[in-house]
Amino acid sequence: QKVRYVGDAIAIVAADSQAIARQALELIEVELEELPVVVDPVIALEPGAPRVHEDGNLLKHIKVNKGDIDLGFEQADVIFEETFFTPTYEHAFMEPECSLAQVNADGRIEIFVGSQIPYADREQVAAALDIPQKEVRVRGPLVGGGFGGKEDIVGQIHAALLARATNKPVKILYDRHESMLVHPKRHATQIRVKLGLKKDGTLTAAQTELYGDTGAYASLGAKVMGRATTHSTGPYIVPNVKIDCYATYTNNPPSGAFRGFGALQAAFAIECMIDQVAEKMSLDPIEFRRINALHKNSITNTGQHLTESVGLLECIDKTRLELMHYTGGKDPFVARAVEDAPHKRRSWGFAVAFKNTGLGEGAPDKASAEVELYPDGTAEARISSAEIGQGLVTVLQMVAAEELSLPIDQVRVLLSDTDLTPDGGPTTGSRQTYISGNAVKHLSLIHISEPTRQLTQSRMTSYS
């Protein structure tokens, strides 16, 4: 009853051809009352701003506090403050969204869709159609690009609705214009950074305030901006931290997952700030980062004790000593003419960043898998996780082959079928090699196929 952004679906049409469908759409008459709009995440929280949803425009207020922020700024010799902005970005994956749905002979809905989370698709389709999840089967082909842009429902439910209404297979394929209107984008943000530091460059306090435009619907806005929040002071040791983040609704297209998942916007703001501070205080920008860098036994701004695998100092030193000074000379930040290209100038830039692996924020990060050994000596690993170009099939082949001492060409991998593969969780957060790979690795014994069941006792476990 309320159109919240230009991509909202208010009618769907099925036809034997695209041309007929487009003609039918033109015949639909819609009466719309024009409403005031809000297009900025800061303005959205002002008193009297138009309400995108009845309960207001704030999706979530996310807070991080560490130490005593007032004391931290009192201890500082110098304080700097600046505000940074990042725009909306489009994923522009090669394959636009496409869903094919059909009603099978047994009355179940079967959906073929390039998705990053098949089990979540099944859950949402079943909820929208008000049927049990067992009545829905989601099958995923190899996905033509995702980058976070295919974690949300886009077309699956509509195709299923039309298939049930017509009792015929229905395919919904978005053209590029439709795709850009509808699917969630990278969050546009406003990030204010305030840093306090000693004259030698040691940080004493960091305060950040973030506003994220999550668009007309939640999508993964709270999670993305939560990640931006926790990463907004950078991979640095800061004893006193105060962070406030506001994920807000607007009438813009929804914002959700995009490669980097919020950490990218935070890295842009804090690293720009570090460069500005270094320049104003005549500090070496690399050494400034180095003396504040997280290392083994550091405590992050969320209280995590880093006990191992903290390679930031090593990375900084290798980049500076082995790459920058080798190719850039004594002052790699000075722009130099490019040989045989007098109209070009070239110099180095330097930034550091960090990013969690997995779901984060306390979410249970788990996956289930099956591995079956066949009488001919081949094996099959099964998991619902999606292949979106990251090489998951090869990874799982290699893991299973090594654990079973089999040649890699004797291992098959079956992905993304909610009837035939157990739930591997979302393909997101750079988690598949580690989480799903371990799910396959830690199967303590193989699930044996029926012809050999009498010869070998079988048991199956899952890893989380």
Side-chain angles (χ1 to χ4, degrees):
Q1 297 300 307
K2 184 176 181 180
V3 177
R4 291 182 172 86
Y5 84 112
V6 70
D8 264 332
I10 56 176
I12 50 178
V13 169
D16 290 334
S17 71
Q18 191 176 71
I20 296 174
R22 291 191 182 280
Q23 290 176 17
L25 285 175
E26 296 298 324
L27 298 175
I28 298 174
E29 295 183 2
V30 182
E31 293 184 6
L32 295 173
E33 175 190 351
E34 189 171 318
L35 300 175
V37 300
V38 56
V39 296
D40 181 273
V42 179
I43 295 175
L45 298 182
E46 292 181 353
R51 288 189 167 222
V52 180
H53 295 278
E54 294 306 313
D55 56 355
N57 294 337
L58 180 63
L59 170 61
K60 190 174 183 180
H61 179 194
I62 307 156
K63 306 176 185 179
V64 171
N65 293 287
K66 174 187 174 186
D68 186 329
I69 192 66
D70 293 329
L71 178 62
F73 284 121
E74 287 177 9
Q75 295 173 341
D77 295 325
V78 189
I79 296 174
F80 294 91
E81 186 173 351
E82 186 61 82
T83 301
F84 303 91
F85 300 86
T86 67
T88 297
Y89 279 84
E90 158 68 30
H91 299 79
F93 29 68
M94 289 191 295
E95 175 194 44
E97 297 85 348
C98 186
S99 301
L100 173 64
Q102 61 185 14
V103 180
N104 292 334
D106 58 4
R108 299 175 69 219
I109 299 289
E110 185 174 25
I111 301 171
F112 298 84
V113 59
S115 166
Q116 294 179 232
I117 321 178
Y119 270 82
D121 289 359
R122 185 182 74 166
E123 177 184 1
Q124 294 183 65
V125 170
L129 271 58
D130 195 22
I131 59 177
Q133 291 187 36
K134 65 181 181 181
E135 297 300 316
V136 179
R137 180 182 186 182
V138 175
R139 301 174 66 179
L142 302 183
V143 183
F147 320 110
K150 291 175 180 172
E151 294 187 31
D152 295 80
I153 286 284
V154 183
Q156 296 94 313
I157 293 172
H158 298 152
L161 285 168
L162 289 170
R164 286 218 306 180
T166 62
N167 201 32
K168 293 181 179 180
V170 173
K171 181 170 75 172
I172 293 182
L173 170 63
Y174 285 23
D175 62 29
R176 185 61 65 183
H177 176 70
E178 292 166 335
S179 174
M180 294 181 71
L181 287 179
V182 172
H183 80 252
K185 309 290 187 282
R186 190 193 297 282
H187 281 74
T189 62
Q190 173 182 308
I191 304 176
R192 181 176 66 87
V193 182
K194 182 179 180 182
L195 295 181
L197 60 152
K198 296 289 189 179
K199 291 180 180 179
D200 64 0
T202 304
L203 292 169
T204 63
Q207 182 175 3
T208 60
E209 184 179 64
L210 303 89
Y211 292 86
D213 182 356
T214 204
Y217 297 99
S219 180
L220 290 162
K223 296 294 185 183
V224 171
M225 292 311 300
R227 201 63 43 78
T229 303
T230 57
H231 288 67
S232 65
T233 60
Y236 302 113
I237 301 169
V238 190
N240 303 288
V241 173
K242 177 176 172 56
I243 308 173
D244 288 280
C245 176
Y246 305 91
T248 63
Y249 291 114
T250 67
N251 293 114
N252 294 324
S255 297
F258 199 128
R259 187 70 178 155
F261 207 84
L264 209 65
Q265 294 94 315
F268 168 77
I270 188 65
E271 288 305 291
C272 286
M273 189 65 172
I274 292 290
D275 274 345
Q276 290 183 17
V277 171
E279 182 178 5
K280 291 175 181 177
M281 293 190 65
S282 299
L283 297 171
D284 180 285
I286 301 177
E287 188 60 27
F288 182 27
R289 290 173 167 89
R290 194 182 189 285
I291 63 176
N292 292 291
L294 290 171
H295 53 73
K296 190 174 180 180
N297 292 320
S298 296
I299 304 295
T300 69
N301 63 15
T302 54
Q304 181 180 356
H305 183 199
L306 303 177
T307 59
E308 57 186 339
S309 300
V310 188
L312 181 55
L313 285 173
E314 180 184 0
C315 182
I316 290 174
D317 291 341
K318 281 182 174 291
T319 302
R320 176 170 58 178
L321 298 176
E322 298 181 14
L323 294 174
M324 290 184 66
H325 287 173
Y326 178 74
T327 60
K330 292 183 178 180
D331 195 347
F333 297 115
V334 174
R336 292 176 170 81
V338 178
E339 187 176 354
D340 299 327
H343 60 291
K344 293 182 180 180
R345 296 292 183 271
R346 180 173 293 152
S347 69
W348 277 79
F350 195 96
V352 300
F354 68 151
K355 170 70 170 67
N356 69 301
T357 296
L359 301 179
E361 297 186 50
D365 212 348
K366 58 186 180 180
S368 298
E370 294 177 357
V371 177
E372 185 168 359
L373 182 65
Y374 289 86
D376 62 1
T378 63
E380 182 176 71
R382 297 190 285 266
I383 195 164
S384 71
S385 307
E387 167 58 56
I388 58 173
Q390 82 279 36
L392 181 61
V393 173
T394 304
V395 167
L396 298 185
Q397 267 188 317
M398 294 170 68
V399 170
E402 180 173 326
E403 291 302 306
L404 299 173
S405 299
L406 287 174
I408 195 169
D409 60 0
Q410 292 188 30
V411 177
R412 299 182 301 277
V413 175
L414 177 63
L415 300 178
S416 302
D417 187 327
T418 57
D419 272 17
L420 301 179
T421 59
D423 189 359
T427 294
T428 183
S430 303
R431 65 184 292 278
Q432 283 303 328
T433 295
Y434 182 70
I435 303 296
S436 294
N438 272 307
V440 170
K441 175 182 170 128
H442 285 269
L443 285 167
S444 57
L445 195 65
I446 309 307
H447 183 54
I448 304 300
S449 57
E450 195 63 37
T452 58
R453 188 173 300 279
Q454 295 178 353
L455 300 177
T456 308
Q457 181 183 4
S458 68
R459 63 186 171 94
M460 182 181 68
T461 63
S462 62
Y463 173 78
S464 64

